Amino acid sequence: MRDNRCVPMRQDALLKLLETNARLSDEEIAERLGLSVENVKSRRSELESQGRIVGYQAVTNDDQETGVSAFIEVKLTPERDGGFDRIASRIARFDAVASCYLASGGFDLLVLVDGETLMDVARFVTEKLSTMEGVLSTATHFRLKTYKKNGLLFDAPPLQERLSVTP
């Protein structure tokens, strides 16, 4: 018998399943969580309307493509009555920006930028990002290889369950 109640633990389980494989059907999710299909549909719809689920994407291996990605640390001057939100929102709207995060530590924003070449990223930083009012400094780090993305391992060797025995 299926449990038709929505409890927080089930919601977290639903989100985890979708993060792992967003292509799962409502029927498959219902089967795995022991819920009714109607319940899964309603929870998914509720999570989407709340903004908890903001989209569904494939995790791609960018190492297979040409192009350049860079992580840019940005130090900002916070705005009165807006803090970092307004400037972060302006930065996030650039087409070159793939992701933008408020972070703790020695910088304020961590911005992931994609470009065709190193010069594309450099131009973005020098002509657009660093010239914005409120941007104090930037530090650019180019992505060389991806080992793990969104919880998925890339090119991981199989785990050995036992150590090799030698005489």
Side-chain angles (χ1 to χ4, degrees), residues 88-104:
S89 180
R90 288 196 332 257
I91 291 169
R93 292 181 198 281
F94 284 110
D95 289 339
V97 174
S99 299
C100 182
Y101 304 97
L102 182 64
S104 63

Side-chain angles (χ1 to χ4, degrees), residues 115-149:
E116 291 293 317
T117 65
L118 292 172
M119 286 308 298
D120 286 340
V121 173
R123 267 191 228 93
F124 171 78
V125 173
T126 59
E127 295 173 6
K128 295 183 179 173
L129 186 59
S130 63
T131 60
M132 292 179 72
E133 186 175 331
V135 173
L136 297 175
S137 67
T138 64
T140 303
H141 308 274
F142 288 96
R143 180 183 59 83
L144 302 178
K145 181 177 180 176
T146 303
Y147 293 98
K148 187 174 185 177
K149 182 177 176 182

Side-chain angles (χ1 to χ4, degrees), residues 11-74:
Q11 178 178 325
D12 291 341
L14 172 63
L15 290 172
K16 281 289 181 206
L17 279 175
L18 290 172
E19 287 172 351
T20 305
N21 184 355
R23 295 180 70 184
L24 289 173
S25 69
D26 291 335
E27 291 77 14
E28 291 171 309
I29 293 170
E31 176 77 25
R32 291 183 187 194
L33 297 180
L35 299 170
S36 70
V37 175
E38 296 77 26
N39 189 298
V40 170
K41 286 180 182 181
S42 114
R43 290 302 297 142
R44 184 194 298 251
S45 178
E46 184 178 330
L47 291 166
E48 289 170 349
S49 67
Q50 292 172 349
R52 294 278 316 274
I53 297 175
V54 295
Y56 300 89
Q57 298 178 341
V59 177
T60 59
N61 185 347
D62 300 329
D63 293 345
Q64 303 287 329
E65 296 183 21
T66 59
V68 176
S69 294
F71 301 96
I72 304 171
E73 300 172 356
V74 184

